[in-house]
Amino acid sequence: MIHLACTHGNLGYWDFYSTVMKVEDIVDDKRIITVSESAELFSENINEILQREINLKRIKAISEYISSNDERFLGSIVVAIHKGEPKWTEIDLNQSFKIDDDIIDEKSLAFLNGKFGVLTLTGNEQIFALDGQHRLMGLRKTLKDYPELGELEVPVVFVIHNHERLDKTRRLFTVLNKYAEKPKGAELIILDEDDCAAIVARKLVSDHEILSKGSALSTTKSGSMPNSDNYSLTTLVTISSINKILFNKRPAYYTVRPSDDQLESHYEEATAFWDSVFDTFPEINQYLNKEANVTINSKPIYRNHESGGSLLLRPVGQKLLAFAFTKFGDDEIELFKERLSKIDFNLSNSIWKYLFWNEKMVTGENRLKKNLILYLLGKFDDESYIHSEMSRIYELNNDIYTHNISPV
């Protein structure tokens, strides 16, 4: 039996009770289970489908976050409770008392009355998580691997499930899992305080001499440049993606905030890449300053949806440069810049024709794209592969490749 300090509220159909529970009380004897572990809401075959939706990598990431981060915090797990005999004991506030020497007025006291109490669970109840399945599974893994963390407290919201109205609980499960808007794209990068790629991306657009310019960053929330944006250089999502290319860490690394020294080191890595690009092509800075008639190698630098423009102004091109940059050692940065400056990045060039641009940006062929940029920069020596693959690409577009591509 456990006693939980709660506040009681009501929102439309649902009475709910907000509380905190120790990890060990949630996990031990599976006091709280997932929907797929319950036979209450859905049939067995539906539960099997739900079980397959459980993402083991996400569970591991949550467990590592809880066990490794002193600033750990989880959002409330919303659970439905039925069976057994849960007991609500209200704490009576029908008395005058003061807060900061002010007596609470009767209207405020009337609202507070009935909101505080103790929810007692005997252990005979069945409690299943309507929202927070992965957090629940992450807590199980955490307690298994780190039993000393069992005293940690987690926010939990109880709703009272009525077996006679399964439709109500199913609808609540749907609302919580389908319609709840979770941060993603640029919004997630703005909010994330653990992912070093996101943290460094924010620092770059705040502190870097060029990337901090208002014209450098598109306002889009995705990693793609809108057709209507003919002036910005890149996106926040692209900068974060480039950071992950540069840092080259396993996915789990981005779930735990590194030390300040590590973050500074990562910032220097990212700055080295962007400085190399801007040193090689100072015309990009002129473009961002909205100077007229800016050219690279006597060709205008621009981006539009009609003729493509420069690959340097495309997120996919910037990520390709970041990949190539990682293949040069710290003592080869000047070599990287020298060779990079000799490449024509205009999308109408035969190098990129059909591979990146064919009346619109072309996706796919990622292996060939990476090997091609390395070939141009002298870091890939399988010449026959390049010519064979480019011939294939040209043939797919009813054109003939003339073997005119060679390292700079």
Side-chain angles (χ1 to χ4, degrees):
M1 181 179 295
I2 59 173
H3 305 285
L4 305 172
C6 289
T7 56
H8 170 231
N10 173 268
L11 186 61
Y13 176 84
W14 294 103
D15 280 301
F16 60 90
Y17 301 83
S18 300
T19 186
V20 293
M21 292 182 69
K22 294 179 181 179
V23 171
E24 60 187 17
D25 288 334
I26 292 173
V27 172
D28 283 350
D29 297 323
K30 288 191 174 180
R31 183 186 293 272
I32 299 179
I33 60 178
T34 66
V35 165
S36 62
E37 292 170 329
S38 169
E40 179 66 9
L41 277 194
F42 300 104
S43 61
E44 183 177 351
N45 55 352
I46 295 295
N47 281 339
E48 288 179 358
I49 295 174
L50 289 173
Q51 185 65 35
R52 287 198 295 271
E53 291 296 313
I54 297 294
N55 187 322
L56 297 180
K57 290 183 179 179
R58 188 175 172 192
I59 291 169
K60 181 181 179 182
I62 291 172
S63 178
E64 290 180 349
Y65 165 73
I66 296 169
S67 61
S68 305
N69 197 326
D70 290 337
E71 297 180 11
R72 62 180 78 89
F73 189 82
L74 294 178
S76 296
I77 299 174
V78 181
V79 302
I81 181 171
H82 78 119
K83 296 185 178 179
E85 296 180 359
K87 183 179 179 181
W88 168 250
T89 304
E90 186 176 305
I91 296 176
D92 189 3
L93 293 181
N94 281 325
Q95 57 182 345
S96 297
F97 62 93
K98 297 180 179 180
I99 294 180
D100 294 334
D101 294 328
D102 290 330
I103 297 177
I104 295 182
D105 60 83
E106 291 187 7
K107 183 177 180 181
S108 298
L109 191 63
F111 175 78
L112 292 173
N113 194 43
K115 300 297 182 186
F116 298 95
V118 175
L119 182 64
T120 300
L121 303 177
T122 65
N124 295 324
E125 304 84 6
Q126 183 177 102
I127 307 171
F128 50 90
L130 294 173
D131 184 51
Q133 317 270 328
H134 286 91
R135 276 166 278 164
L136 173 60
M137 301 290 281
L139 291 175
R140 289 181 185 175
K141 178 171 175 52
T142 300
L143 192 64
K144 178 182 177 181
D145 296 341
Y146 305 93
E148 68 275 13
L149 297 180
E151 292 289 317
L152 291 179
E153 296 178 348
V154 176
V156 180
V157 176
F158 286 86
V159 296
I160 305 303
H161 163 71
N162 181 353
H163 179 74
E164 302 299 324
R165 294 305 309 268
L166 287 176
D167 60 313
K168 296 286 188 181
T169 307
R170 286 180 185 143
R171 186 173 292 113
L172 181 58
F173 175 75
T174 300
V175 168
L176 291 172
N177 288 276
K178 179 179 178 181
Y179 297 110
E181 186 71 24
K182 293 180 172 61
K184 58 184 177 181
E187 185 179 23
L188 182 58
I189 294 169
I190 291 169
L191 297 174
D192 203 317
E193 289 294 343
D194 297 309
D195 182 347
C196 68
I199 296 170
V200 171
R202 294 199 301 269
K203 185 173 175 61
L204 284 168
V205 300
S206 298
D207 298 350
H208 190 273
E209 180 182 2
I210 295 177
L211 291 175
S212 62
K213 291 183 176 182
S215 56
L217 200 66
S218 173
T219 57
T220 179
K221 294 182 179 180
S222 71
S224 301
M225 298 294 292
N227 287 335
S228 59
D229 187 344
N230 299 319
Y231 304 102
S232 304
L233 171 63
T234 190
T235 73
L236 187 62
V237 172
T238 300
I239 294 175
S240 181
S241 297
I242 286 175
N243 286 342
K244 291 185 177 180
I245 294 171
L246 298 172
F247 304 160
N248 191 29
K249 300 292 186 180
R250 296 170 65 89
Y253 182 79
Y254 300 100
T255 64
V256 179
R257 185 186 180 96
S259 67
D260 289 344
D261 287 343
Q262 288 173 305
L263 286 172
E264 184 60 31
S265 177
H266 285 316
Y267 180 71
E268 291 173 1
E269 287 181 80
T271 300
F273 164 70
W274 285 105
D275 284 351
S276 294
V277 173
F278 295 133
D279 287 347
T280 306
F281 303 109
E283 296 88 351
I284 294 178
N285 194 26
Q286 296 175 321
Y287 169 85
L288 293 177
N289 290 336
K290 299 183 179 180
E291 296 182 20
N293 303 317
V294 179
T295 63
I296 295 179
N297 297 326
S298 301
K299 294 183 179 180
I301 178 172
Y302 62 91
R303 177 188 60 246
N304 63 36
H305 64 279
E306 295 174 355
S307 56
S310 175
L311 188 57
L312 296 172
L313 301 182
R314 297 282 180 173
V316 65
Q318 295 157 11
K319 287 187 281 188
L320 192 69
L321 294 189
F323 164 75
F325 182 79
T326 64
K327 304 305 177 183
F328 287 76
D330 292 341
D331 59 343
E332 294 183 305
I333 291 181
E334 291 305 316
L335 178 63
F336 171 75
K337 293 193 291 186
E338 178 189 349
R339 292 180 177 177
L340 192 66
S341 67
K342 297 177 181 178
I343 299 176
D344 184 351
F345 283 98
N346 195 294
L347 284 166
S348 62
N349 188 289
S350 59
I351 300 174
W352 317 116
K353 187 179 180 181
Y354 304 135
L355 191 58
F356 277 96
W357 182 262
N358 190 4
E359 297 184 353
K360 63 179 180 179
M361 290 301 292
V362 179
T363 59
E365 301 291 351
N366 291 330
R367 179 168 176 253
L368 174 56
K369 290 173 178 177
K370 289 180 178 180
N371 287 333
L372 177 59
I373 189 70
L374 294 182
Y375 175 70
L376 293 170
L377 293 170
K379 289 290 184 177
F380 183 80
D381 57 10
D382 191 344
E383 184 176 7
S384 62
Y385 164 85
I386 294 296
H387 293 317
S388 173
E389 287 296 285
M390 291 303 294
S391 294
R392 176 179 61 84
I393 294 297
Y394 269 65
E395 286 175 9
L396 288 173
N397 290 276
N398 299 314
D399 203 348
I400 299 175
Y401 172 63
T402 58
H403 292 70
N404 61 321
I405 297 176
S406 61
V408 296

